[in-house]
Amino acid sequence: MHRTRVRAHARVQAAVAAALLAPLAACSSSGSPTASATGASRIADDRPVTVTVTPTGEGAEAGEPVTVTARHARLTSVTVTDGEGRRLAGKVARDGTSWISDRKAAPGTAYAVTAATRTAGGTAGRTKASFTTAPADKVNKVDWRPGAGATVGIAQPISLVFDNPVKNRAEVEKQLRISTSNDTEGSWGWMRDWSGRDRVDWRPREYWKPGTKVTLDAELNGTDSGTDGGWFVRDYTTTFTVGARQIVEVDLDNHRLTLVRDGRTVRRIPVSGGTPGGDKRSWRGTAVLMAKEGTINMNSETVGLADAYDKMVDYSMRLTWSGMYAHAAPWNARYFGNDNRSSGCIGMSDADAAWFYGQVRPGDPFEITGKETKGVVAPGNGFGAWNVSWARWQGMSALS
């Protein structure tokens, strides 16, 4: 009986052991299902990748950024080039699924797009696409000052005059970037040019510091001017340097011009300004020397003074679009230093004009004072921005 109990007990123990081993065997065999699940995951991670580019097709609308999106993958790089091989820079989003260009697609341009992708499963891919934007039905152009490589006076603004109206002023202004060698503070101001065209100038808060290097990057290509203005189809850039600190002080009450350089008086010159009491009066305020034009024909009919004069004039230095100059005026010699008897200009002797012409440069400010004047030089009449307060000037920005 005892042996029987032992054998029975042994069989029970064996049965219990088998029961206990059964689940262990099931767990150990789970390696196969796990491998199968991993394979399914890899298949899911390597689903077909879809890359979408906008704009798309032929004759696409310009003026919008280029966007590239990826589905079932991350973008590792995107390259967009135009027909001349120039790249359109942009950035990939943090999640890696989209890319957008920094600038807008320009009109009448063919673009090639190459997008590199990588799936979560590690598969790399490359997608190519292309599109062409519709040509501009109207083009806007820019005339800008100062010219590249110029050395200018301390009052020289950066001035852009547009061929056609600019309704989208804020969009245009966003594309205008000024960089200086000394972080000069300044602002854009919109106005109507003397010619009647739209214009925007950038001036510092105060006169430039001598030696400042300035660069304008007008990245306008692909920007729409707005109604009746047309598209910009190119960029513009200019770089210039500010020269010595020269200020021309013109005292019309005492009939005297003084050249001040770096705070020191260089020379005083007797002059005769515009005749009091009518349209022949001079302007007052700050005028900026626009150009040294040398010997030119001056005809009073071009400035609304009938047939008052028509003569060749030497050492002509333009101060306003409306026709105010500093120049040699030997026919007025008896009035120099004594009386204002010109037709609005600042006249001086041949000898003084020759010397003075050799000293000044475009961008030098003429600070003009006098009781018998016809008003302050307007911002659009030459470079009259300095006659506007800084607060008001900032308010003339489309982004203010």
Side-chain angles (χ1 to χ4, degrees), residues 1 7 23 73 79 99 144 146 182 220 235 271 292 338 363 372:
M1 293 293 294
R7 289 192 183 101
T79 302
W99 178 96
W144 73 96
N182 52 17
L220 292 171
D235 295 335
V271 298
K292 296 163 67 174
N338 300 312
E372 288 291 338

Side-chain angles (χ1 to χ4, degrees), residues 42 45-47 49 72-74 117-126:
R42 284 176 180 164
D45 289 341
D46 280 341
R47 286 174 293 179
V49 175
H72 303 149
R74 292 174 61 89
T117 57
R118 186 173 295 278
T119 67
T123 301
R126 187 175 297 274

Side-chain angles (χ1 to χ4, degrees), residues 272-345:
S272 178
T275 304
D279 291 339
K280 292 184 179 182
R281 291 173 295 171
S282 299
W283 293 103
R284 70 176 183 273
T286 299
V288 177
L289 179 55
M290 300 176 65
K292 296 163 67 174
E293 298 181 4
T295 300
I296 62 173
N297 176 255
M298 290 192 179
N299 188 315
S300 55
E301 292 181 353
T302 63
V303 292
L305 293 177
D307 59 352
Y309 57 86
D310 184 4
K311 61 182 64 179
M312 299 303 293
V313 179
D314 296 329
Y315 306 111
S316 298
M317 295 162 273
R318 181 183 282 276
L319 298 175
T320 70
W321 284 125
S322 62
M324 186 168 74
Y325 284 78
H327 61 75
W331 56 87
N332 247 7
R334 65 184 181 278
Y335 298 120
F336 300 151
N338 300 312
D339 204 357
N340 292 322
R341 284 293 180 269
S342 80
S343 295
C345 294

Side-chain angles (χ1 to χ4, degrees), residues 187-188 203 205 388-397 400:
S187 177
W188 290 102
R203 54 153 277 205
R205 181 170 186 168
V388 177
S389 70
W390 177 242
R392 183 185 162 204
W393 181 259
Q394 288 179 300
M396 291 168 65
S397 165
S400 62

